[in-house]
Amino acid sequence: MLGEGILKGLAETAKNFAGSYVSKDRLTTVQYPEERAPVFEAARVFPFLVYDGPDWEKGLRCVACQICEKECPPKCIYIEKSKDKKPDYVGKPQIYPAKFDIDISVCMSCQICVEVCPFEAIKMNNEFELATEDRFGGLLLDRHQLAKSNEYYHQIHPTEAAEVDARLAEEKAKAEAKAKAAAEAAAAKSAAASAGTASAGPAVSAKPAVATPPKPTEGEPKA
């Protein structure tokens, strides 16, 4: 029937309109900003950088691999890799982003940067009240503005953050076990080499050669 879809849509609208007077669940709008609708855990707006520990600069998980910059469809991520290394929050020397900017006026919230990051360093924020009078500089966020703690990540995406922490802890435990096994193998090899040297005994020194005096010739008096 021609126009059947339009009639179904109008019927749904009328049902919600009439039901809003008797059921709060039918209220599809809120009186913003006095009232605010709850933000779903899966909501995503713009990316942010995760850091561990109390210091955002030392704790950034980002190692400036630039994968997100290369994979970003609208090319809104700008990264400059550091020339030196700084200790991270666990004291390991690591390359870090000397510059990490995201132009959120260009960002399309596709989340590709999150999917390709191998270090769980970039995630999607749910903050949407980012209006500013400066349409250029005000919408270009640097690494300080982008940095958010792991605790903040747990607040907005608790399920996802718990899974990430568990995965990172498992990878860390595997790396520590591998390093421990390598250290034990090296120690055992060194001990075996020391034992082999000790069983061979001390080296026997050769006796010094004694020079034989020449025989006196005939008629020559003996000494």
Side-chain angles (χ1 to χ4, degrees):
M1 176 182 174
L2 185 63
E4 184 179 358
I6 296 176
L7 293 175
K8 286 183 178 180
L10 290 173
E12 185 68 23
T13 301
K15 183 172 64 174
N16 284 326
F17 175 73
S20 65
Y21 287 94
V22 294
S23 174
K24 192 173 182 180
D25 294 336
R26 292 287 182 178
L27 290 173
T28 56
T29 60
V30 294
Q31 300 301 314
Y32 181 85
E34 289 79 13
E35 297 179 14
R36 295 172 183 268
V39 179
F40 295 102
E41 182 179 347
R44 67 175 191 244
V45 184
F46 297 117
F48 70 95
L49 298 175
V50 185
Y51 70 87
D52 298 294
D55 190 332
W56 73 268
E57 197 166 10
K58 288 183 178 180
L60 278 179
R61 293 178 182 177
C62 178
V63 298
C65 67
Q66 297 179 303
I67 294 177
C68 59
E69 181 183 27
K70 295 173 184 176
E71 296 294 333
C72 177
K75 303 300 179 186
C76 66
I77 301 177
Y78 312 95
I79 301 173
E80 288 184 8
K81 190 179 296 186
S82 65
K83 304 297 183 184
D84 60 335
K85 292 184 178 182
K86 284 185 178 180
D88 58 13
Y89 76 106
V90 294
K92 180 182 178 182
Q94 190 63 268
I95 292 175
Y96 59 94
K99 183 177 183 179
F100 195 119
D101 297 341
I102 295 181
D103 189 347
I104 61 173
S105 68
V106 179
C107 177
M108 55 191 287
S109 303
C110 64
Q111 195 173 301
I112 290 178
C113 56
V114 176
E115 301 297 333
V116 299
C117 180
F119 301 99
E120 307 290 353
I122 186 167
K123 299 297 176 183
M124 298 301 289
N125 208 341
N126 59 12
E127 185 181 357
F128 58 90
E129 295 173 310
L130 300 170
T132 176
E133 295 179 354
D134 185 358
R135 60 180 295 188
F136 298 108
L139 297 175
L140 183 63
L141 306 183
D142 60 22
R143 59 181 188 146
H144 191 188
Q145 294 168 299
L146 293 168
K148 305 288 183 184
S149 67
N150 191 36
E151 288 74 18
Y152 175 81
Y153 179 34
H154 274 266
Q155 290 175 8
I156 63 174
H157 300 303
T159 305
E160 179 185 330
E163 293 175 356
V164 169
D165 280 1
R167 185 162 58 251
L168 292 177
E170 183 180 358
E171 292 175 357
K172 183 179 179 181
K174 287 182 180 179
E176 290 177 348
K178 185 177 180 180
K180 183 179 179 182
E184 290 176 351
K189 185 177 180 180
S190 177
S194 299
T197 303
S199 61
V204 180
S205 59
K207 294 182 179 180
V210 179
T212 304
K215 293 181 180 180
T217 56
E218 189 176 350
E220 185 180 352
K222 295 181 178 180

